[in-house]
């Protein structure tokens, strides 16, 4: 990696030669919806950063340039030691299933899913063929952010069950040859965590466990950073005349990773769970843990582009790598545990610095580039054009040897993918599309994570008609801020419905009985009435259902290592309507052919179709054209 120092005289070309510079440029282009090749122009490459100021007119300012240079200079010395082969490991071969416990299965009729519900449904997961589970948080919590606000790391939220029940769950999972990873939220805790309460009492060492700044009255926060859940990112404590940082809700206070005692406490928590025998962790917003110590103001240009102010000072903070290496060394490494870091905002190259095996930081990451169309964000009301998906996926497939990635389309923070493309109604192409996405999900290189309900094609809830039906703190805060900005109630509700995370959190649709079989009580959030036509029971008995298709695909992947370790080679790239690729090993080749559009399109030419044996497809019979969202998995007959 270059040891050059970046300043306003650096050229765009030099920026693009730097891994992080390329990531930032890619992200900016995505945001403003310009094609990646825009920067390849030799004239553009020869421009100096300071020229961008003049050329962009209103957009780029000195502070923006300084911010970018600081970020680039910070990665000096970060290197990757090349490896010659991919190390086989269980988590590369696994298919994970994400459970959002609150909405999975309620066994005691209180309207909330529980641990016993998960145990009850393990046979369902086993039949599906998944071999690892990621459990969203089940720790004790006031549930301001549905468990991502932890009150006690070593206690189970009582409405979900007991520690004994958790131990049974872990045993049952292992008995079935599956693994279990937990959610680890160590960027922040709940304001009800004892550390925070003691910090407010000024008790050492807790008074340095959180990011705070001495105030000068309650009117001016220490900087202009905004929270992801609306408004400023600071809480004022009057007694101490002190401001506390909260990047998420007001009840989620950011921990101060500069404090060594805090780090030790975190190692202790992690080891406590690992000693129980869990197989690893998904690490919540782990790239946010290191903040620029001076907490400088965020740049307004970046804020406008990304929608949040200050992010450049913590999305890839100065001590991130150091913290992760130490965390791993003191915890995961000795337990041989897997880690998946959630890293919003990071590009491919920065991510490789986190997951490359030579660097001993994380094992895999969740990145989010592919979840929205270029130029759009989750909160926008739009339909996702899948044509854009292909290039983003191809870029991420390019992670080099020694790095490994995840594959996912859904989680508890994002709308259902089928609805993103086709809207919130029961569209006739719903299941062909669900199957097509499943093909991509299970045949690309990386570890697939299926979000509960994705395997039966659950869609967004089309029956939200009033703000009282929403539960997510982000949606509720957004609604209030829309009203404050002058929107009418109808307008505000419409915007909330478009972007709400609650679409992913409606109860799992087990059968067509009351509440989709999720609970005999009143569910904590409404069941999507769609359960009457879409549920696991009905799909279980139907060999042509999406659920059956998922089973076949998982089985195919579990039994063909070429689909796991084989090289990825895209083909027919110029055809925007198609996504075609090979998975290749020394002895086997698969060819995957996908129509990304809702139209009939010609099949690609110059393929010796006689050599292809169709293994799986979302349509019956053969057709001259590729049908809407048709997806075919072929094995190449090799002599
Ligand atoms: O929805 C988002 C903010 O608008 C996402 O950016 C999301 O908050 C981000 O991906 C981080 O998510 C994780 O941390 C949050 C929690 O609310 C999410 O549920 C969790 O997945 C804070 O802990």
């Amino acid at each position: 990696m270059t040891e050059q120092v970046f300043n306003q005289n650096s050229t765009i070309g030099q920026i693009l030669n730097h891994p992080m510079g390329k990531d930032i440029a890619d992200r900016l282009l995505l945001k403003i919806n310009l094609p990646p090749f825009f920067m390849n122009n030799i004239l553009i490459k020869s421009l100096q950063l300071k020229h961008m100021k003049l050329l962009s007119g209103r957009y780029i300012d000195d502070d923006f340039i300084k911010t970018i240079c600081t970020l680039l200079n910070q990665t000096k010395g970060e290197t990757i030691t090349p490896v010659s082969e991919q190390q086989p490991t269980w988590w590369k071969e696994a298919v994970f299933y994400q459970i959002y416990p609150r909405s999975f299965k309620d066994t005691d009729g209180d309207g909330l899913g529980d641990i016993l519900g998960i145990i009850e449904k393990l046979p369902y997961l086993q039949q599906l063929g998944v071999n690892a589970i990621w459990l969203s948080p089940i720790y004790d919590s006031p549930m301001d952010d549905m468990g991502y606000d932890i009150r006690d790391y070593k206690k189970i939220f009582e409405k979900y069950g007991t520690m004994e029940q958790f131990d049974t769950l872990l045993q049952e999972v292992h008995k079935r040859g599956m693994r279990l990873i937990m959610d680890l939220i160590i960027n922040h805790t709940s304001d009800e965590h004892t550390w925070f309460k003691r910090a407010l009492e000024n008790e050492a060492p807790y008074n340095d466990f959180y990011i705070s700044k001495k105030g000068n009255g309650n009117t001016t926060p220490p900087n202009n950073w905004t929270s992801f859940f609306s408004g400023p990112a600071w809480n004022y404590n009057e007694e101490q005349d002190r401001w506390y940082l909260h990047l998420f809700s007001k009840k989620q206070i950011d921990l101060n990773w500069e404090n060594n005692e805090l780090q030790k406490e975190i190692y202790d928590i992690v080891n406590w769970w690992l000693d129980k025998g869990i197989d690893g962790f998904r690490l919540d917003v782990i790239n946010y843990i290191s903040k620029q110590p001076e907490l400088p103001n965020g740049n307004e240009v970046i804020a406008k582009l990304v929608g949040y102010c200050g992010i450049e000072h913590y999305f890839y903070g100065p001590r991130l790598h150091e913290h992760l290496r130490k965390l791993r060394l003191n915890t995961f490494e000795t337990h041989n545990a897997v880690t998946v870091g959630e890293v919003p905002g990071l590009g491919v190259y920065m991510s490789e610095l986190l997951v490359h095996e030579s660097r001993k930081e994380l094992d895999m990451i969740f990145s989010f580039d592919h979840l929205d169309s270029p130029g759009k964000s989750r909160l926008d009301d739009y339909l996702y054009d899948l044509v854009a998906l292909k290039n983003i996926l191809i870029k991420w497939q390019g992670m080099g040897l020694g790095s490994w990635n995840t594959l996912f389309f859904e989680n508890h923070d994002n709308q259902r993918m089928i609805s993103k493309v086709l809207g919130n109604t029961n569209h006739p192409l719903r299941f062909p599309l669900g199957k097509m996405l499943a093909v991509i999900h299970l045949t690309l290189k990386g570890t697939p994570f299926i979000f509960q309900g994705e395997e039966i094609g659950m869609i967004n809830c089309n029956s939200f008609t009033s703000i009282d039906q929403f539960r997510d703190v982000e949606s509720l805060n957004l609604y209030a801020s829309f009203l404050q900005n002058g929107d009418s109630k109808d307008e505000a509700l419409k915007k909330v419905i478009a972007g709400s995370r609650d679409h992913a959190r409606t109860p799992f649709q087990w059968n067509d009985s009351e509440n989709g079989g999720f609970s005999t009580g009143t569910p904590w959030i409404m069941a999507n009435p769609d359960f009457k036509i879409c549920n696991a029971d009905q799909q279980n008995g139907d060999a042509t259902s999406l659920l059956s298709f998922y089973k076949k695909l998982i089985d195919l992947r579990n039994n063909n290592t070429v689909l796991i370790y084989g090289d990825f080679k895209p083909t027919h790239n110029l055809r925007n309507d198609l996504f075609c690729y090979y998975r290749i090993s020394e002895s086997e080749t698969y060819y995957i052919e996908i129509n990304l559009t809702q139209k009939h399109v010609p099949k690609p030419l110059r393929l010796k179709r006689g050599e292809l044996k169709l293994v799986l497809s979302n349509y019956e019979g053969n057709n001259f054209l590729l049908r809407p969202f048709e997806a075919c998995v072929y094995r190449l007959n090799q002599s």
Side-chain angles (χ1 to χ4, degrees), residues 345-515:
L346 292 193
V348 190
Y349 303 104
M350 292 185 251
S351 296
E352 285 200 82
L353 288 175
L354 294 175
V355 299
H356 193 271
E357 63 187 49
S358 67
R359 296 181 49 86
K360 300 217 171 290
E361 295 183 21
L362 299 171
D363 294 319
M364 301 180 269
I365 49 101
F366 290 127
S367 72
F368 298 92
D369 282 357
H370 63 297
L371 290 195
D372 284 292
S373 289
K376 299 287 183 194
S377 90
R378 171 169 62 79
L379 299 174
D380 294 325
D381 197 357
Y382 75 101
L383 291 181
Y384 189 137
D385 180 1
L386 288 175
V387 165
L389 176 73
K390 165 167 106 171
N391 288 330
I392 303 176
L393 290 178
I394 290 178
K395 184 172 87 182
W396 281 90
Q397 288 288 294
M399 267 195 176
L401 214 55
S403 297
W404 196 259
N405 202 1
T406 59
L407 301 163
F408 74 103
F409 288 122
E410 294 185 3
N411 65 22
H412 63 291
D413 291 335
N414 286 277
Q415 296 95 331
R416 296 288 182 178
M417 194 65 186
I418 292 174
S419 294
K420 281 192 193 176
V421 179
L422 296 173
N424 296 355
T425 53
N426 181 36
H427 193 284
L429 287 174
R430 168 182 187 177
F431 293 111
L433 170 60
K435 290 179 184 172
M436 180 264 250
L437 292 168
V439 166
I440 300 179
H441 204 166
L442 272 304
T443 63
L444 281 181
K445 190 168 184 167
T447 299
F449 281 72
I450 300 169
F451 177 60
Q452 65 181 44
E454 191 173 9
E455 76 279 17
I456 56 169
M458 279 177 65
I459 52 175
N460 286 357
C461 183
N462 205 22
S463 303
F464 286 138
T465 51
S466 141
I467 192 66
D468 316 333
Q469 295 161 327
F470 288 88
R471 299 289 176 267
D472 181 18
V473 58
E474 182 199 54
S475 298
L476 299 175
N477 288 359
L478 271 175
Y479 183 76
S481 78
F482 291 145
L483 291 186
Q484 217 172 35
N485 292 339
D487 282 346
S488 71
K489 285 186 177 173
D490 281 354
E491 285 164 343
L493 182 66
K494 194 164 172 274
K495 288 186 190 167
V496 167
I497 290 175
S500 179
R501 307 193 297 182
D502 278 340
H503 286 295
R505 301 176 180 185
T506 58
F508 189 95
Q509 299 169 192
W510 292 107
N511 54 47
D512 61 6
S513 71
E514 206 185 351
N515 302 321

Side-chain angles (χ1 to χ4, degrees), residues 145 148 185 188 228-229 248 252 282 284-285 308 342 344 368 378 412-413 474 501 505:
D145 187 20
Y148 284 89
I185 300 110
H188 45 263
F228 289 102
F229 295 158
F248 292 90
Q252 292 165 296
R282 173 261 190 195
D284 193 63
V285 287
Y308 308 103
E342 189 208 25
F368 298 92
R378 171 169 62 79
H412 63 291
D413 291 335
E474 182 199 54
R501 307 193 297 182
R505 301 176 180 185

Side-chain angles (χ1 to χ4, degrees), residues 93-107:
E93 295 167 18
V95 177
F96 277 77
Y97 187 91
Q98 183 194 350
I99 293 182
Y100 193 68
R102 204 175 177 82
S103 305
F104 193 56
K105 173 69 190 164
D106 173 23
T107 56

